Amino acid sequence: MKMLVVFEKMGAHRFLGHLDLQRAMQRALRRSGLPVTYSQGFNPHLQLSFAAPLSVGIQGEREIMEVPLSETISEADFLAKLNDTLPQNMKAKAAVLQEDKVAPAMARMAAATYVLRPDEHFEQLMAAVPGFLSQERIPFMKRGKAGIREEDLRPLIYNLMAKGDTLVTVLATSSKGTARADLLFTSLCEFAGIAPPRCLITRTALLDERFVPLEGA
Amino acid sequence: MDKQMQARLEALLETVQKPSRYTGGEVNEIKKDWAGKTTCCFAFPDTYEVAMSHLGMKVLYESINAQEDLLCERVMMPWTDMIEGLKEQGIPLYSLESRRALSAFDMVGFTLQYEMSYTNILKMLELGGIALHNKDRDENAPFVIAGGPCAFNPEPLAPFIDAFLLGDGEHATNEMLRAIGAGRKAGKNRAAILRDLAQIEGVYVPDLYEATYHEDGRLAAFTPLDKSAPLPVKKRIELDLNEAPFPTSIPVPYTQAVHDRIVLEIMRGCTRGCRFCQAGMLYRPVRERSPEQLFALAEQLVAATGYEEMSLSSLSTGDYSQLLELIKGLNERFCDQRVSLSLPSLRIDNQLQEALVDTAQVKKSGLTLAPEAGTQRLRDVINKGVTEEDLLRTVSEAFASGWNNVKLYFMIGLPYETDEDLLGIADLARKVVNCYYAIPKGQRARGLKVVVSASTFVPKPMTPFQWAAQDTLEEIRRKQALLRSALNIKGVTFNWHDPETSFLEACFARGDRRLAKVLYRAYELGCLLDGWNEHFKYDAWMQAFTDTGLDPAFYANRERDKDELMPWDLADIGVTKKYLWRENERARNAEVTPDCRLGCEGCGLTRFEGVCRG
Ligand code: SF4
């Protein structure tokens, strides 16, 4: 069995790189004494699998990792024991026990929801959204293995709208194509003709291809 | 920090490298309520990653915070991008825990681990809103304290530090904090509190003394200005490590520290008497923690941190009297918990080998050996009790059991060194290579790698070589070139460093009070993070010497007379000057002094009651 864990990565934890987060989670699981499976070999470690690494600087409200179990344990027990040892702003919010054969979250992931909270120019940005979305192409430069090349952001944006004093967007996040929320924001600012203000970005959900959260509805 | 400043800081953190250096919030961080407490900020004058590798900080952090009336937070040296950001945003350097400016604490305590961190101390004071010179601090300013190995020659920092602690800090730090807290409560002024601090064993308050100099620059006299000021200042000793506090729950950094693991201090002090080694003289007598206590500490630490690795710390782990029991016991306890034990390269005897043989838990990092000198004669001069035979046997055994990676550490510029001794280094390296080829192909691991590192010798105060001249930069460069060509051996890599840093270290290690002017000038000229190659500004340092009219060669390259009054003679570390001189004489004659566990060598420690049986 494996446990799918929904956890937050909020506040100052948004500064942790993916490796730092992995280490922190591994150590938390070790402290918790939960029955997890270690790899064999000289340097045994926990094989955690994260649905999608989060860029440094972006917060996560419902991030997902999967933990291989050596024994079955109830979801509630797992959650309680893990939260006993996780630091503030990194708490686990849900745990879902799954058969090993359930496809990994990473493979099921198709999109993610983000909330963008700019420090200023909100009105201008909001006004620019319809025009921004009606563009046929939104070219951006992507640095890949083969150097920098131009790609189109438009088909990767599933939704973008204003809500309160924030912008909410659903972006493609899969092996077929991924749009970065910070990139979307700078593109939108460029379109609106303003220098990008500081903007706090929070990823709020990881979705499968039916736009249902990976942890289930 | 008010809300607005907090917001500016948040925005700043988004723009700097490795923001988690500055956020705190680690697991096991201790946040206490400030009400009614005497407060201390432990200041480490290097980056977060270096600081979080340092055991001493963790010891004091936990032991101070265990006291109900005291509180300890942490601060480290910010990197250049953060320094600029803090200044631009008008944010003072703040503690990780409560984000208060350094100036808000009752005491700010620096640890002095290496001389090249001194400019960082000045920078941290400036950023933290504390006057750099102690005479400029007002009644509300924190007391700036410094301890650690370099505090044993405190003089170059004398005008900047209010009080130094010489020796073990586990109890002394609490006493200092309480003296400050009680003094402030009683409405005493700064000068009175400083006099109170001077009464605590191990504390040196530089302003209570005066130094005068001969015309040629040598120290003429060192006199207390106040009858409350002891001379010499006796170092502080924790007699029983089993009674001394040791942390059981340490903050676990998110960003990887240089040494990111549990460190168990198994023993303090060393009796081997290597003549170049300052720690060996400073931390006598030898004191061990019992295996039982270490097991208990280790279990608590593993449970509290989740660390996957553990290492042992001491000056010479191979001398720990119950090493076999300790390692076996640790392995037994932690094998199942998948905690690996990394051991330094020891002369692993057969029994130990057997104990370790099928425990994959002991990490097989490369073999590291420190013969320090290339010939037996020079090893006798420095009293490094390693014979070529021992060394080659250890290496052969290692090669035979599948190792292929050997690191050999040497020093160049040792007293009484000749070119023959340098060529001896190459000789030894060649013999190590031959040991490898003596093992039949197929039975040895492929890809031999022998790394020879040669550091530049820095004569340290309170060692038998405290009188010695350091080689000039030209001479060191000549020796490095000689070695470079001699070490042109297949399979051998030679590492060396530009000697300028060692030259400056030599100045400050044996510096007097006047050097503070050089330090201050260097700081004005922008010297900072000098321990980091990319920031080290040698020319600015030389400029600082010129501007202040002092000659670095006077400090680094001058041989002292037997009876010269040394700036650090103010401290009594237990080991006497007489003993050090005798050791210096023996060095001149390449005469060895055996390990004093085999018989007391009369170092002077028995003068301290109950400290060493002799
Ligand atoms: S007093 Fe004697 S036994 Fe004790 S440390 Fe000194 S030399 Fe060694």
Side-chain angles (χ1 to χ4, degrees):
Chain A
M1 297 296 276
K2 61 181 178 181
M3 195 67 84
L4 182 147
V5 183
V6 182
F7 65 95
E8 59 180 0
K9 182 171 180 273
M10 300 295 284
H13 292 316
R14 72 184 183 282
F15 297 127
L16 299 188
H18 190 57
L19 280 176
D20 294 341
L21 174 71
Q22 274 179 314
R23 241 192 329 265
M25 279 298 178
Q26 282 178 352
R27 287 177 182 157
L29 283 158
R30 296 171 65 96
R31 289 192 300 270
S32 72
L34 284 163
V36 294
T37 309
Y38 287 85
S39 67
Q40 296 296 311
F42 177 60
N43 243 332
H45 54 280
L46 257 166
Q47 303 264 315
L48 299 181
S49 152
F50 289 80
L54 197 53
S55 314
V56 172
I58 299 184
Q59 307 192 105
E61 237 169 50
R62 295 186 75 81
E63 294 297 298
I64 286 175
M65 67 172 175
E66 288 160 306
V67 185
L69 298 178
S70 57
E71 269 168 49
T72 305
I73 173 171
S74 84
E75 293 164 347
D77 274 1
F78 188 97
L79 207 54
K81 282 212 170 114
L82 186 55
N83 275 335
D84 259 359
T85 187
L86 277 175
Q88 274 277 308
N89 286 333
M90 213 192 263
K91 293 289 183 203
K93 300 184 146 181
V96 184
L97 197 59
Q98 292 184 330
E99 299 281 348
D100 285 329
K101 64 174 194 284
V102 175
M106 198 191 308
R108 291 189 289 124
M109 169 122 177
T113 313
Y114 295 86
V115 173
L116 289 71
R117 188 183 297 277
D119 271 7
E120 38 189 354
H121 305 309
F122 182 70
E123 304 297 321
Q124 277 157 281
L125 287 166
M126 190 173 69
V129 168
F132 180 70
L133 288 179
S134 67
Q135 299 176 94
E136 213 153 282
R137 274 178 62 78
I138 306 177
F140 73 98
M141 292 306 184
K142 187 171 174 176
R143 197 184 299 269
K145 281 195 195 96
I148 300 176
R149 65 198 160 107
E150 196 185 279
E151 285 206 18
D152 186 7
L153 189 63
R154 184 61 193 88
L156 303 174
I157 307 173
Y158 296 141
N159 193 9
L160 171 63
M161 59 183 197
K163 195 173 170 191
D165 56 353
T166 64
L167 295 163
V168 178
T169 182
V170 181
L171 299 174
T173 312
S174 78
S175 52
K176 281 174 243 141
T178 292
R180 291 176 47 158
D182 48 347
L183 198 89
L184 169 91
F185 184 68
T186 43
S187 292
L188 178 63
C189 290
E190 200 179 307
F191 181 81
I194 55 173
R198 183 175 165 246
C199 176
L200 183 65
I201 303 177
T202 310
R203 183 154 77 178
T204 50
L206 306 183
L207 310 171
D208 68 13
E209 54 184 15
R210 296 163 302 148
F211 295 102
V212 172
L214 293 180
E215 66 270 29
Chain B
M1 211 179 270
D2 62 25
K3 268 232 167 84
Q4 277 177 339
M5 197 186 281
Q6 189 78 28
R8 292 205 303 279
L9 174 61
E10 284 294 307
L12 169 60
L13 287 173
E14 285 166 13
T15 67
V16 298
Q17 278 179 51
K18 305 197 192 173
S20 47
R21 286 169 165 173
Y22 313 112
T23 56
E26 306 93 334
V27 167
N28 301 330
E29 178 190 62
I30 305 173
K31 279 189 177 177
K32 288 175 84 169
D33 180 12
W34 272 50
K37 296 194 180 61
T38 307
T39 59
C40 159
C41 194
F42 190 105
F44 198 102
D46 208 323
T47 60
Y48 178 87
E49 293 88 329
V50 178
M52 291 302 283
S53 308
H54 183 245
L55 179 60
M57 178 178 78
K58 297 171 189 168
V59 173
L60 293 184
Y61 183 64
E62 201 174 296
S63 73
I64 297 171
N65 279 322
Q67 313 295 314
E68 228 169 278
D69 55 331
L70 309 177
L71 158 166
C72 179
E73 303 192 350
R74 296 164 297 158
V75 68
M76 291 87 177
M77 177 69 182
W79 197 247
T80 46
D81 54 351
M82 186 67 172
I83 295 176
E84 276 162 37
L86 288 172
K87 282 192 163 164
E88 257 170 42
Q89 297 300 325
I91 304 171
L93 184 61
Y94 57 87
S95 66
L96 293 180
E97 281 76 6
S98 70
R99 300 207 171 170
R100 281 180 171 85
L102 297 195
S103 57
F105 288 82
D106 292 314
M107 173 171 132
V108 173
F110 285 94
T111 177
L112 310 178
Q113 296 294 316
Y114 23 82
E115 290 82 4
M116 300 316 286
S117 66
Y118 289 177
T119 51
N120 298 350
I121 296 178
L122 300 190
K123 195 51 156 193
M124 289 171 77
L125 289 174
E126 180 209 315
L127 293 169
I130 301 174
L132 298 192
H133 289 92
N134 55 20
K135 63 173 173 15
D136 298 332
R137 286 180 201 135
D138 63 22
E139 289 297 332
N140 293 321
F143 286 82
V144 179
I145 309 297
C150 296
F152 284 100
N153 180 25
E155 289 298 84
L157 287 170
F160 311 112
I161 304 291
D162 292 303
F164 293 89
L165 172 65
L166 316 186
D168 299 332
E170 281 97 333
H171 288 95
T173 318
N174 294 349
E175 290 168 22
M176 293 175 84
L177 265 164
R178 289 199 171 110
I180 294 168
R184 289 196 152 171
K185 221 175 245 160
K188 288 190 188 176
N189 66 15
R190 219 175 159 82
I193 295 176
L194 284 173
R195 278 196 299 273
D196 288 348
L197 286 174
Q199 305 315 305
I200 298 171
E201 189 168 88
V203 174
Y204 165 61
V205 177
D207 275 9
L208 300 181
Y209 303 80
E210 184 185 55
T212 52
Y213 300 89
H214 291 298
E215 222 148 85
D216 62 8
R218 286 174 305 128
L219 187 62
F222 190 79
T223 9
L225 296 171
D226 189 292
K227 59 180 183 325
S228 69
L231 189 72
V233 178
K234 213 171 134 187
K235 85 165 169 194
R236 189 65 182 260
I237 306 173
E238 291 288 334
L239 275 182
D240 184 352
L241 286 198
N242 291 314
E243 299 291 319
F246 194 81
T248 52
S249 139
I250 53 180
V252 184
Y254 292 109
T255 175
Q256 198 155 22
V258 181
H259 301 292
D260 206 9
R261 59 179 83 98
I262 290 170
V263 177
L264 292 176
E265 189 199 29
I266 60 171
M267 179 167 75
R268 205 172 289 178
C270 176
T271 47
R272 298 201 158 238
C274 298
R275 292 178 180 130
F276 56 85
C277 177
Q278 193 190 32
M281 299 297 156
L282 292 183
Y283 297 118
R284 288 180 181 207
V286 166
R287 289 147 287 166
E288 295 189 354
R289 271 201 172 82
S290 70
E292 293 68 38
Q293 206 208 0
L294 289 164
F295 295 147
L297 290 171
E299 293 205 358
Q300 294 176 66
L301 278 162
V302 167
T305 62
Y307 267 124
E308 48 295 286
E309 196 182 332
M310 189 184 299
S311 69
L312 308 179
S313 144
S314 77
L315 290 171
S316 87
T317 294
D319 290 335
Y320 182 76
S321 60
Q322 302 174 70
L323 190 60
L324 186 63
E325 290 89 319
L326 178 67
I327 292 175
K328 269 189 176 166
L330 287 173
N331 260 327
E332 266 164 33
R333 281 174 177 78
F334 298 111
C335 205
D336 291 346
Q337 295 181 50
R338 296 170 180 85
V339 179
S340 69
L341 182 62
S342 58
L343 291 176
S345 308
L346 313 159
R347 264 172 288 178
I348 294 186
D349 61 29
N350 289 338
Q351 240 188 333
L352 203 51
Q353 194 94 30
E354 259 166 50
L356 303 182
V357 88
D358 33 37
T359 46
Q361 261 58 39
V362 176
K363 246 196 171 168
K364 217 179 201 181
S365 39
L367 185 68
T368 305
L369 299 165
E372 310 290 4
T375 59
Q376 196 57 50
R377 185 196 70 85
L378 194 57
R379 283 194 295 273
D380 289 346
V381 166
I382 62 175
N383 206 42
K384 178 85 192 184
V386 174
T387 66
E388 184 173 304
E389 212 187 321
D390 278 352
L391 184 111
L392 295 180
R393 198 184 48 238
T394 309
V395 170
S396 291
E397 280 167 11
F399 287 147
S401 53
W403 306 58
N404 58 357
N405 192 338
V406 180
K407 282 192 198 129
L408 300 171
Y409 284 98
F410 295 94
M411 282 186 280
I412 54 180
L414 286 164
Y416 314 114
E417 176 185 75
T418 65
D419 284 359
E420 209 175 298
D421 298 309
L422 295 171
L423 297 174
I425 294 178
D427 234 31
L428 201 55
R430 196 169 288 112
K431 285 178 184 157
V432 168
V433 171
N434 291 341
C435 287
Y436 173 80
Y437 287 109
I439 313 258
K441 245 189 182 163
Q443 285 173 41
R444 63 184 192 225
R446 282 210 306 216
L448 169 71
K449 205 173 159 211
V450 178
V451 179
V452 173
S453 295
S455 59
T456 301
F457 173 64
V458 178
K460 292 279 178 154
M462 294 160 177
T463 67
F465 293 150
Q466 65 177 2
W467 289 272
Q470 186 183 44
D471 275 347
T472 59
L473 290 175
E474 296 69 48
E475 179 64 356
I476 294 290
R477 288 204 195 92
R478 185 191 69 80
K479 288 180 174 178
Q480 287 179 335
L482 179 74
L483 258 182
R484 210 154 48 228
S485 57
L487 277 167
N488 196 350
I489 303 169
K490 202 172 159 260
V492 178
T493 322
F494 178 43
N495 279 343
W496 77 96
H497 294 286
D498 291 333
E500 285 83 358
T501 306
S502 308
F503 176 53
L504 268 179
E505 264 172 36
C507 294
F508 279 90
R510 290 185 296 172
D512 53 37
R513 266 183 197 207
R514 297 172 306 165
L515 267 192
K517 284 186 286 180
V518 178
L519 177 59
Y520 187 73
R521 183 68 190 132
Y523 156 83
E524 284 182 327
L525 292 169
C527 290
L528 204 65
L529 292 162
D530 300 289
W532 297 79
N533 261 333
E534 67 263 46
H535 288 293
F536 180 57
K537 299 187 192 78
Y538 180 66
D539 294 342
W541 275 103
M542 289 306 107
Q543 180 71 45
F545 273 101
T546 312
D547 291 354
T548 49
L550 289 167
D551 175 13
F554 172 84
Y555 295 98
N557 308 124
R558 180 174 64 93
E559 184 167 340
R560 277 77 163 164
D561 277 341
K562 177 183 175 213
D563 294 319
E564 179 170 333
L565 181 63
M566 308 288 199
W568 54 93
D569 284 346
L570 68 93
D572 185 353
I573 60 162
V575 174
T576 56
K577 200 170 179 180
K578 197 169 131 220
Y579 169 82
L580 294 178
W581 179 258
R582 197 197 76 195
E583 282 297 296
N584 183 29
E585 297 275 271
R586 286 194 183 174
R588 200 193 313 276
N589 303 322
E591 237 179 90
V592 298
T593 297
D595 189 323
C596 67
R597 276 174 307 181
L598 305 171
C600 178
E601 292 291 335
C603 76
L605 212 62
T606 45
R607 293 173 304 125
F608 290 4
E609 218 189 296
V611 167
C612 193
R613 274 173 294 130

